[in-house]
Amino acid sequence: MHTPVSMLMGVVFAPLGLVLVFTAAVTPQWREGQARLGAAGRGGATELLLLRSDGLWESCLQVVHSEVKECWPVSGSYQRDARVRMVQGMVLLSLFLCGTGIVLASVGVRCWTDIPLRSVAAAGGLLVALAGVLSLAALGVYTHNLSKLGIEVDSTISETQGLNVQKPPQLTLHPAGSLYFGWVGAWVQVLGGAALLLGFKSMKCSSCHKQRLKDSAEMYEVNC
């Protein structure tokens, strides 16, 4: 069976997109921002530069240029924000659809035989493409509302480190690395699903064609 280049691209792009979107989903760098915070320590008053980052399920706060860093499950107004919950659900559904699509495409290809299951493979490609569109929609919602999503500052620097937070920092939030991973992965999913659909649409089964020629030849001999 001759395998089209577009189908090979789809077989590579679909799992790659799944990995990228999954990586984005589990890492806490969808948005981040820095703020200066006054604190009292053993050596007197000092000013700290804090880096706050949020993901879909985890947030982190780090003192810049130090090893002081704490992460915790998303909570407070950020967790309760309906837009954050919607993005979480859309990303989970996207991962499920993409994984299911990859399984269906693998079964449909049936590289160990000469006769592919075109309808199954095409359904797999469609699911992968839909997963990519769903990821793009989720990323679009988060990016559009990035600075508006509810956030409350928690005191994550423990007393054992000798720091006493006096006032909440004013954060200027901007997109972070995980968000870019998600955008790349979503587009790769769309391209992978489209490539699978195009590949299986143009696929030809050489053995089936030979069998049809053989049957035609036998019919011609009988008629003669």
Side-chain angles (χ1 to χ4, degrees), residues 143-156:
T143 302
H144 179 71
N145 300 284
L146 187 143
S147 61
K148 303 174 185 177
L149 298 175
I151 180 173
E152 59 183 19
V153 179
D154 301 304
S155 299
T156 57

Side-chain angles (χ1 to χ4, degrees), residues 1 3 7-8 11 105-116:
M1 178 180 65
T3 304
M7 188 194 71
L8 294 177
V11 171
S106 301
V107 173
V109 171
R110 301 207 308 173
C111 297
W112 58 92
T113 69
D114 288 331
I115 304 177

Side-chain angles (χ1 to χ4, degrees), residues 65-86:
H65 305 308
S66 75
E67 296 181 357
V68 179
K69 180 178 181 180
E70 292 192 18
C71 295
W72 63 94
V74 293
S75 59
S77 57
Y78 181 77
Q79 180 191 30
R80 295 190 297 268
D81 195 302
R83 292 163 295 189
V84 174
R85 293 186 177 183
M86 181 177 66

Side-chain angles (χ1 to χ4, degrees), residues 43-217:
T46 183
E47 189 175 57
L48 300 176
L49 181 61
L50 301 180
L51 176 64
R52 169 72 181 258
S53 61
D54 293 310
L56 293 183
W57 284 276
E58 189 178 38
S59 297
C60 293
L61 188 65
Q62 179 181 7
V63 179
V64 179
H65 305 308
S66 75
E67 296 181 357
V68 179
K69 180 178 181 180
E70 292 192 18
C71 295
W72 63 94
V74 293
S75 59
S77 57
Y78 181 77
Q79 180 191 30
R80 295 190 297 268
D81 195 302
R83 292 163 295 189
V84 174
R85 293 186 177 183
M86 181 177 66
V87 172
Q88 290 174 337
M90 294 171 71
V91 169
L92 288 177
L93 181 57
S94 170
L95 292 172
F96 174 76
L97 290 177
C98 189
T100 304
I102 292 173
V103 172
L104 289 177
S106 301
V107 173
V109 171
R110 301 207 308 173
C111 297
W112 58 92
T113 69
D114 288 331
I115 304 177
L117 299 175
R118 298 190 185 186
S119 58
V120 176
L126 180 61
L127 286 181
V128 173
L130 288 176
V133 173
L134 194 60
S135 296
L136 290 174
L139 290 160
V141 171
Y142 192 96
T143 302
H144 179 71
N145 300 284
L146 187 143
S147 61
K148 303 174 185 177
L149 298 175
I151 180 173
E152 59 183 19
V153 179
D154 301 304
S155 299
T156 57
I157 309 298
S158 63
E159 294 180 358
T160 57
Q161 295 162 338
L163 299 175
N164 180 27
V165 177
Q166 296 179 347
K167 60 180 180 179
Q170 299 298 318
L171 292 173
T172 301
L173 298 167
H174 55 83
S178 299
L179 199 61
Y180 297 122
F181 265 96
W183 279 110
V184 174
W187 280 112
V188 170
Q189 284 179 330
V190 173
L191 292 175
L196 285 170
L197 287 171
L198 293 175
F200 287 108
K201 182 178 180 180
S202 61
M203 184 184 300
K204 295 182 179 180
C205 178
S206 58
S207 62
C208 297
H209 181 64
K210 292 179 180 178
Q211 183 64 37
R212 285 195 297 269
L213 291 177
K214 182 179 178 181
D215 293 341
S216 298

